[in-house]
Coordinates of all heavy atoms in Angstrom, one line a residue:
T1147 N 89.5 78.7 97.1 CA 88.7 77.9 96.2 C 89.1 78.2 94.8 O 88.9 79.4 94.3 CB 87.2 78.1 96.4 OG1 86.9 77.8 97.8 CG2 86.4 77.2 95.5
K1148 N 89.6 77.3 94.0 CA 90.1 77.5 92.7 C 88.9 77.5 91.7 O 88.0 76.7 91.7 CB 91.1 76.5 92.2 CG 91.6 76.7 90.8 CD 92.6 75.5 90.4 CE 93.0 75.7 89.0 NZ 94.0 74.6 88.6
Q1149 N 89.0 78.5 90.7 CA 88.0 78.5 89.6 C 88.8 78.8 88.4 O 89.5 79.8 88.2 CB 87.0 79.6 89.8 CG 86.1 79.4 91.1 CD 84.9 80.3 91.1 OE1 84.5 80.9 90.1 NE2 84.3 80.4 92.3
T1150 N 88.8 77.9 87.4 CA 89.6 77.9 86.2 C 88.8 78.8 85.2 O 87.6 78.7 85.0 CB 89.8 76.6 85.6 OG1 90.5 75.8 86.5 CG2 90.5 76.7 84.3
L1151 N 89.6 79.8 84.6 CA 89.0 80.6 83.6 C 89.2 80.0 82.2 O 88.3 80.1 81.4 CB 89.7 82.0 83.6 CG 89.2 83.0 84.6 CD1 90.3 84.0 84.9 CD2 88.0 83.7 84.1
D1152 N 90.4 79.4 82.0 CA 90.7 78.9 80.6 C 91.7 77.8 80.8 O 92.8 78.1 81.3 CB 91.1 79.9 79.7 CG 91.0 79.5 78.2 OD1 91.2 78.3 77.9 OD2 90.8 80.4 77.4
S1153 N 91.5 76.6 80.4 CA 92.4 75.4 80.6 C 93.1 75.1 79.3 O 93.9 74.1 79.2 CB 91.7 74.2 81.1 OG 90.6 73.8 80.2
E1154 N 92.8 75.9 78.2 CA 93.5 75.7 76.9 C 94.1 77.0 76.5 O 94.0 77.3 75.3 CB 92.5 75.1 75.9 CG 91.9 73.7 76.3 CD 91.0 73.2 75.3 OE1 90.6 74.0 74.4 OE2 90.6 72.0 75.4
F1155 N 94.8 77.7 77.4 CA 95.3 79.0 77.1 C 96.8 78.8 76.9 O 97.6 79.0 77.8 CB 95.0 79.9 78.3 CG 95.0 81.4 77.9 CD1 94.1 81.8 76.9 CD2 95.8 82.3 78.6 CE1 94.1 83.2 76.6 CE2 95.7 83.6 78.3 CZ 94.9 84.1 77.3
L1156 N 97.2 78.4 75.7 CA 98.6 77.9 75.4 C 99.7 78.9 75.9 O 99.7 80.1 75.4 CB 98.7 77.6 73.9 CG 100.1 77.0 73.5 CD1 100.3 75.6 74.1 CD2 100.1 76.8 72.0
H1157 N 100.6 78.4 76.7 CA 101.7 79.3 77.2 C 101.1 80.6 77.8 O 101.5 81.7 77.4 CB 102.7 79.5 76.2 CG 103.4 78.3 75.7 ND1 104.2 78.3 74.6 CD2 103.5 77.1 76.3 CE1 104.7 77.0 74.4 NE2 104.3 76.3 75.5
A1158 N 100.2 80.4 78.8 CA 99.7 81.6 79.5 C 100.8 82.4 80.1 O 101.7 81.8 80.8 CB 98.7 81.1 80.6
H1159 N 100.8 83.7 79.9 CA 101.9 84.5 80.3 C 101.6 85.6 81.3 O 102.4 85.9 82.2 CB 102.6 85.2 79.1 CG 104.0 85.6 79.3 ND1 104.3 86.9 79.8 CD2 105.2 85.0 79.2 CE1 105.6 87.0 79.9 NE2 106.1 85.9 79.6
E1160 N 100.4 86.2 81.2 CA 100.0 87.3 82.1 C 98.5 87.1 82.4 O 97.7 86.7 81.5 CB 100.3 88.7 81.6 CG 101.7 89.1 81.8 CD 101.9 90.6 81.6 OE1 100.9 91.3 81.4 OE2 103.0 91.1 81.7
I1161 N 98.1 87.6 83.6 CA 96.7 87.7 83.9 C 96.5 88.9 84.9 O 97.3 89.1 85.8 CB 96.2 86.4 84.6 CG1 94.7 86.5 84.9 CG2 97.0 86.0 85.8 CD1 94.1 85.1 85.3
M1162 N 95.5 89.7 84.7 CA 95.3 90.8 85.6 C 93.8 91.1 85.6 O 93.0 90.7 84.6 CB 96.0 92.1 85.1 CG 95.7 92.6 83.8 SD 96.4 94.2 83.3 CE 95.4 95.3 84.4
A1163 N 93.3 91.8 86.6 CA 91.9 92.1 86.7 C 91.7 93.6 86.5 O 92.5 94.4 86.9 CB 91.4 91.7 88.1
Y1164 N 90.6 93.9 85.8 CA 90.3 95.3 85.5 C 88.8 95.3 85.1 O 88.3 94.4 84.4 CB 91.1 95.9 84.3 CG 91.4 97.3 84.4 CD1 92.6 97.8 85.0 CD2 90.5 98.3 84.0 CE1 92.8 99.2 85.1 CE2 90.7 99.6 84.1 CZ 91.9 100.1 84.6 OH 92.1 101.4 84.7
D1165 N 88.1 96.4 85.5 CA 86.7 96.5 85.1 C 86.6 97.1 83.7 O 86.4 98.3 83.5 CB 86.0 97.4 86.1 CG 84.5 97.5 85.9 OD1 84.0 96.8 85.0 OD2 83.8 98.2 86.6
I1166 N 86.7 96.2 82.7 CA 86.8 96.6 81.3 C 85.5 97.3 80.9 O 85.6 98.3 80.2 CB 87.1 95.4 80.4 CG1 88.4 94.7 80.8 CG2 87.1 95.8 78.9 CD1 89.6 95.6 80.7
D1167 N 84.4 96.8 81.2 CA 83.1 97.3 80.7 C 82.5 98.3 81.7 O 81.4 98.8 81.5 CB 82.1 96.2 80.4 CG 82.0 95.2 81.6 OD1 82.5 95.5 82.7 OD2 81.3 94.2 81.4
K1168 N 83.2 98.6 82.8 CA 82.8 99.6 83.8 C 81.4 99.4 84.3 O 80.6 100.3 84.5 CB 82.9 101.0 83.2 CG 84.4 101.4 82.7 CD 84.5 102.8 82.2 CE 84.6 103.7 83.4 NZ 84.9 105.1 83.0
D1169 N 81.1 98.1 84.7 CA 79.8 97.8 85.2 C 79.9 97.5 86.7 O 78.9 97.1 87.3 CB 79.2 96.6 84.5 CG 80.1 95.3 84.7 OD1 81.2 95.4 85.3 OD2 79.6 94.2 84.3
G1170 N 81.1 97.8 87.3 CA 81.2 97.7 88.8 C 81.8 96.4 89.3 O 82.0 96.2 90.5

Side-chain angles (χ1 to χ4, degrees):
T1147 303
K1148 180 183 178 181
Q1149 298 191 20
T1150 298
L1151 278 158
D1152 198 325
S1153 60
E1154 297 181 350
F1155 206 57
L1156 184 62
H1157 295 163
H1159 198 271
E1160 278 194 3
I1161 183 170
M1162 63 171 285
Y1164 210 98
D1165 186 3
I1166 301 298
D1167 51 7
K1168 303 185 75 171
D1169 64 352

